[in-house]
mmCIF file of all heavy atoms in Angstrom:
data_model
loop_
_atom_site.group_PDB
_atom_site.id
_atom_site.type_symbol
_atom_site.label_atom_id
_atom_site.label_comp_id
_atom_site.label_asym_id
_atom_site.label_seq_id
_atom_site.Cartn_x
_atom_site.Cartn_y
_atom_site.Cartn_z
ATOM 1 N N GLN X 14 98.370 54.523 -14.572
ATOM 2 C CA GLN X 14 98.611 53.243 -15.222
ATOM 3 C C GLN X 14 98.439 53.359 -16.735
ATOM 4 O O GLN X 14 99.186 52.767 -17.507
ATOM 5 C CB GLN X 14 97.642 52.191 -14.670
ATOM 6 C CG GLN X 14 97.846 50.783 -15.201
ATOM 7 C CD GLN X 14 99.098 50.131 -14.636
ATOM 8 O OE1 GLN X 14 99.532 50.488 -13.555
ATOM 9 N NE2 GLN X 14 99.659 49.176 -15.366
ATOM 10 N N PRO X 37 76.127 47.957 -7.361
ATOM 11 C CA PRO X 37 75.065 47.982 -6.332
ATOM 12 C C PRO X 37 74.338 49.324 -6.268
ATOM 13 O O PRO X 37 73.132 49.363 -5.989
ATOM 14 C CB PRO X 37 75.831 47.702 -5.032
ATOM 15 C CG PRO X 37 77.083 47.027 -5.452
ATOM 16 C CD PRO X 37 77.440 47.620 -6.780
ATOM 17 N N GLU X 42 69.388 52.311 -7.117
ATOM 18 C CA GLU X 42 68.680 53.454 -7.706
ATOM 19 C C GLU X 42 67.489 52.994 -8.522
ATOM 20 O O GLU X 42 66.398 53.585 -8.461
ATOM 21 C CB GLU X 42 69.663 54.244 -8.574
ATOM 22 C CG GLU X 42 69.139 55.591 -9.044
ATOM 23 C CD GLU X 42 68.467 55.512 -10.393
ATOM 24 O OE1 GLU X 42 68.614 54.469 -11.063
ATOM 25 O OE2 GLU X 42 67.776 56.488 -10.774
ATOM 26 N N TRP X 44 65.792 50.248 -8.081
ATOM 27 C CA TRP X 44 64.787 49.714 -7.165
ATOM 28 C C TRP X 44 63.971 50.840 -6.525
ATOM 29 O O TRP X 44 62.749 50.765 -6.439
ATOM 30 C CB TRP X 44 65.471 48.876 -6.095
ATOM 31 C CG TRP X 44 64.505 48.225 -5.145
ATOM 32 C CD1 TRP X 44 63.782 47.089 -5.343
ATOM 33 C CD2 TRP X 44 64.172 48.679 -3.825
ATOM 34 N NE1 TRP X 44 63.012 46.801 -4.250
ATOM 35 C CE2 TRP X 44 63.227 47.763 -3.291
ATOM 36 C CE3 TRP X 44 64.563 49.761 -3.046
ATOM 37 C CZ2 TRP X 44 62.681 47.896 -2.011
ATOM 38 C CZ3 TRP X 44 64.021 49.901 -1.780
ATOM 39 C CH2 TRP X 44 63.100 48.983 -1.281
ATOM 40 N N ARG X 48 59.787 51.804 -6.990
ATOM 41 C CA ARG X 48 58.856 51.798 -5.857
ATOM 42 C C ARG X 48 58.389 53.180 -5.448
ATOM 43 O O ARG X 48 57.389 53.316 -4.755
ATOM 44 C CB ARG X 48 59.514 51.132 -4.638
ATOM 45 C CG ARG X 48 59.832 49.667 -4.842
ATOM 46 C CD ARG X 48 60.542 49.103 -3.633
ATOM 47 N NE ARG X 48 59.739 49.224 -2.422
ATOM 48 C CZ ARG X 48 58.847 48.326 -2.029
ATOM 49 N NH1 ARG X 48 58.631 47.248 -2.774
ATOM 50 N NH2 ARG X 48 58.172 48.481 -0.909
ATOM 51 N N ALA X 73 70.808 85.116 8.965
ATOM 52 C CA ALA X 73 70.531 84.400 7.716
ATOM 53 C C ALA X 73 71.203 85.093 6.536
ATOM 54 O O ALA X 73 71.789 84.442 5.664
ATOM 55 C CB ALA X 73 69.019 84.300 7.490
ATOM 56 N N SER X 84 82.036 80.804 -2.442
ATOM 57 C CA SER X 84 81.824 79.998 -3.643
ATOM 58 C C SER X 84 82.021 80.768 -4.934
ATOM 59 O O SER X 84 82.347 80.164 -5.962
ATOM 60 C CB SER X 84 80.410 79.405 -3.626
ATOM 61 O OG SER X 84 79.436 80.442 -3.625
ATOM 62 N N LEU X 85 81.856 82.085 -4.914
ATOM 63 C CA LEU X 85 81.932 82.842 -6.161
ATOM 64 C C LEU X 85 82.875 84.034 -6.082
ATOM 65 O O LEU X 85 83.775 84.174 -6.921
ATOM 66 C CB LEU X 85 80.533 83.325 -6.567
ATOM 67 C CG LEU X 85 80.455 84.099 -7.889
ATOM 68 C CD1 LEU X 85 80.898 83.226 -9.049
ATOM 69 C CD2 LEU X 85 79.042 84.617 -8.122
ATOM 70 N N SER X 96 95.326 86.487 -13.149
ATOM 71 C CA SER X 96 95.273 86.828 -14.575
ATOM 72 C C SER X 96 95.943 88.171 -14.842
ATOM 73 O O SER X 96 96.722 88.319 -15.795
ATOM 74 C CB SER X 96 93.819 86.853 -15.056
ATOM 75 O OG SER X 96 93.193 85.601 -14.888
ATOM 76 N N THR X 133 73.827 69.077 -28.037
ATOM 77 C CA THR X 133 72.796 68.912 -29.053
ATOM 78 C C THR X 133 72.634 67.452 -29.443
ATOM 79 O O THR X 133 71.511 66.934 -29.554
ATOM 80 C CB THR X 133 73.136 69.755 -30.297
ATOM 81 O OG1 THR X 133 73.303 71.125 -29.904
ATOM 82 C CG2 THR X 133 72.039 69.661 -31.335
ATOM 83 N N LEU X 134 73.752 66.761 -29.643
ATOM 84 C CA LEU X 134 73.692 65.347 -30.015
ATOM 85 C C LEU X 134 73.117 64.504 -28.882
ATOM 86 O O LEU X 134 72.304 63.595 -29.123
ATOM 87 C CB LEU X 134 75.095 64.858 -30.385
ATOM 88 C CG LEU X 134 75.226 63.386 -30.792
ATOM 89 C CD1 LEU X 134 74.350 63.091 -32.002
ATOM 90 C CD2 LEU X 134 76.680 63.035 -31.080
ATOM 91 N N SER X 139 68.576 61.320 -26.797
ATOM 92 C CA SER X 139 67.791 61.010 -25.596
ATOM 93 C C SER X 139 66.294 61.021 -25.840
ATOM 94 O O SER X 139 65.533 60.567 -24.978
ATOM 95 C CB SER X 139 68.127 62.015 -24.487
ATOM 96 O OG SER X 139 67.603 63.302 -24.790
ATOM 97 N N LEU X 144 61.168 59.566 -23.997
ATOM 98 C CA LEU X 144 59.739 59.484 -24.282
ATOM 99 C C LEU X 144 59.192 58.112 -23.904
ATOM 100 O O LEU X 144 58.068 57.999 -23.381
ATOM 101 C CB LEU X 144 59.485 59.772 -25.760
ATOM 102 C CG LEU X 144 58.020 59.946 -26.190
ATOM 103 C CD1 LEU X 144 57.361 61.072 -25.412
ATOM 104 C CD2 LEU X 144 57.924 60.206 -27.688
ATOM 105 N N PRO X 150 56.392 53.719 -18.110
ATOM 106 C CA PRO X 150 57.381 53.567 -17.027
ATOM 107 C C PRO X 150 57.320 52.209 -16.341
ATOM 108 O O PRO X 150 57.018 52.110 -15.152
ATOM 109 C CB PRO X 150 56.995 54.699 -16.080
ATOM 110 C CG PRO X 150 55.518 54.826 -16.262
ATOM 111 C CD PRO X 150 55.243 54.522 -17.704
ATOM 112 N N VAL X 153 60.316 46.770 -19.739
ATOM 113 C CA VAL X 153 61.432 46.934 -20.669
ATOM 114 C C VAL X 153 61.919 48.375 -20.694
ATOM 115 O O VAL X 153 63.128 48.634 -20.764
ATOM 116 C CB VAL X 153 61.020 46.478 -22.081
ATOM 117 C CG1 VAL X 153 62.148 46.713 -23.075
ATOM 118 C CG2 VAL X 153 60.620 45.020 -22.074
ATOM 119 N N THR X 158 66.102 52.466 -20.024
ATOM 120 C CA THR X 158 66.535 53.769 -19.507
ATOM 121 C C THR X 158 67.551 53.610 -18.381
ATOM 122 O O THR X 158 68.487 54.398 -18.262
ATOM 123 C CB THR X 158 65.332 54.577 -19.014
ATOM 124 O OG1 THR X 158 64.593 53.782 -18.059
ATOM 125 C CG2 THR X 158 64.421 54.950 -20.159
ATOM 126 N N ARG X 201 79.050 60.253 -22.819
ATOM 127 C CA ARG X 201 79.327 60.451 -21.390
ATOM 128 C C ARG X 201 78.152 61.111 -20.678
ATOM 129 O O ARG X 201 77.811 60.747 -19.550
ATOM 130 C CB ARG X 201 80.582 61.323 -21.266
ATOM 131 C CG ARG X 201 80.879 61.826 -19.861
ATOM 132 C CD ARG X 201 81.595 60.773 -19.054
ATOM 133 N NE ARG X 201 82.009 61.314 -17.780
ATOM 134 C CZ ARG X 201 81.332 61.186 -16.641
ATOM 135 N NH1 ARG X 201 80.191 60.518 -16.618
ATOM 136 N NH2 ARG X 201 81.781 61.684 -15.511
ATOM 137 N N GLN X 205 72.402 62.256 -18.371
ATOM 138 C CA GLN X 205 71.840 63.547 -17.975
ATOM 139 C C GLN X 205 70.741 63.975 -18.929
ATOM 140 O O GLN X 205 69.681 64.457 -18.514
ATOM 141 C CB GLN X 205 72.940 64.608 -17.953
ATOM 142 C CG GLN X 205 73.705 64.708 -16.668
ATOM 143 C CD GLN X 205 74.614 65.929 -16.647
ATOM 144 O OE1 GLN X 205 74.920 66.510 -17.684
ATOM 145 N NE2 GLN X 205 75.070 66.304 -15.480
ATOM 146 N N PRO X 232 50.582 60.816 -35.630
ATOM 147 C CA PRO X 232 51.493 60.758 -34.468
ATOM 148 C C PRO X 232 52.655 61.741 -34.576
ATOM 149 O O PRO X 232 53.049 62.352 -33.568
ATOM 150 C CB PRO X 232 51.975 59.304 -34.487
ATOM 151 C CG PRO X 232 50.865 58.543 -35.120
ATOM 152 C CD PRO X 232 50.301 59.464 -36.165
ATOM 153 N N PHE X 236 53.408 64.870 -31.995
ATOM 154 C CA PHE X 236 54.692 65.077 -31.325
ATOM 155 C C PHE X 236 55.244 66.465 -31.628
ATOM 156 O O PHE X 236 55.744 67.151 -30.723
ATOM 157 C CB PHE X 236 55.680 64.006 -31.775
ATOM 158 C CG PHE X 236 57.048 64.156 -31.168
ATOM 159 C CD1 PHE X 236 57.286 63.754 -29.864
ATOM 160 C CD2 PHE X 236 58.089 64.713 -31.894
ATOM 161 C CE1 PHE X 236 58.539 63.899 -29.296
ATOM 162 C CE2 PHE X 236 59.353 64.860 -31.333
ATOM 163 C CZ PHE X 236 59.573 64.454 -30.032
ATOM 164 N N PHE X 256 75.366 70.968 -21.581
ATOM 165 C CA PHE X 256 76.377 71.913 -22.058
ATOM 166 C C PHE X 256 77.273 72.372 -20.912
ATOM 167 O O PHE X 256 78.507 72.425 -21.047
ATOM 168 C CB PHE X 256 75.688 73.111 -22.707
ATOM 169 C CG PHE X 256 76.616 74.214 -23.102
ATOM 170 C CD1 PHE X 256 77.309 74.167 -24.302
ATOM 171 C CD2 PHE X 256 76.811 75.316 -22.279
ATOM 172 C CE1 PHE X 256 78.181 75.187 -24.672
ATOM 173 C CE2 PHE X 256 77.673 76.337 -22.634
ATOM 174 C CZ PHE X 256 78.354 76.270 -23.836
ATOM 175 N N LYS X 261 82.937 71.644 -18.430
ATOM 176 C CA LYS X 261 83.853 71.405 -17.314
ATOM 177 C C LYS X 261 84.564 70.063 -17.407
ATOM 178 O O LYS X 261 85.431 69.784 -16.575
ATOM 179 C CB LYS X 261 83.080 71.452 -15.989
ATOM 180 C CG LYS X 261 82.326 72.746 -15.739
ATOM 181 C CD LYS X 261 81.656 72.731 -14.391
ATOM 182 C CE LYS X 261 80.629 71.624 -14.295
ATOM 183 N NZ LYS X 261 79.948 71.585 -12.975
ATOM 184 N N ALA X 294 94.953 80.755 -14.465
ATOM 185 C CA ALA X 294 93.877 81.654 -14.057
ATOM 186 C C ALA X 294 93.049 82.197 -15.224
ATOM 187 O O ALA X 294 91.817 82.209 -15.139
ATOM 188 C CB ALA X 294 94.449 82.805 -13.229
ATOM 189 N N PHE X 298 89.113 81.753 -15.390
ATOM 190 C CA PHE X 298 88.233 82.915 -15.313
ATOM 191 C C PHE X 298 87.252 82.916 -16.493
ATOM 192 O O PHE X 298 86.051 83.173 -16.324
ATOM 193 C CB PHE X 298 89.077 84.197 -15.314
ATOM 194 C CG PHE X 298 88.312 85.441 -14.985
ATOM 195 C CD1 PHE X 298 88.211 85.872 -13.675
ATOM 196 C CD2 PHE X 298 87.696 86.190 -15.979
ATOM 197 C CE1 PHE X 298 87.499 87.021 -13.356
ATOM 198 C CE2 PHE X 298 86.989 87.328 -15.673
ATOM 199 C CZ PHE X 298 86.892 87.756 -14.348
#
Side-chain angles (χ1 to χ4, degrees):
Q14 184 72 26
E42 191 268 348
W44 183 80
R48 296 177 60 87
S84 62
L85 182 62
S96 300
T133 304
L134 179 59
S139 71
L144 189 58
V153 177
T158 54
R201 170 82 173 96
Q205 273 190 342
F236 178 78
F256 174 83
K261 303 183 298 180
F298 191 91

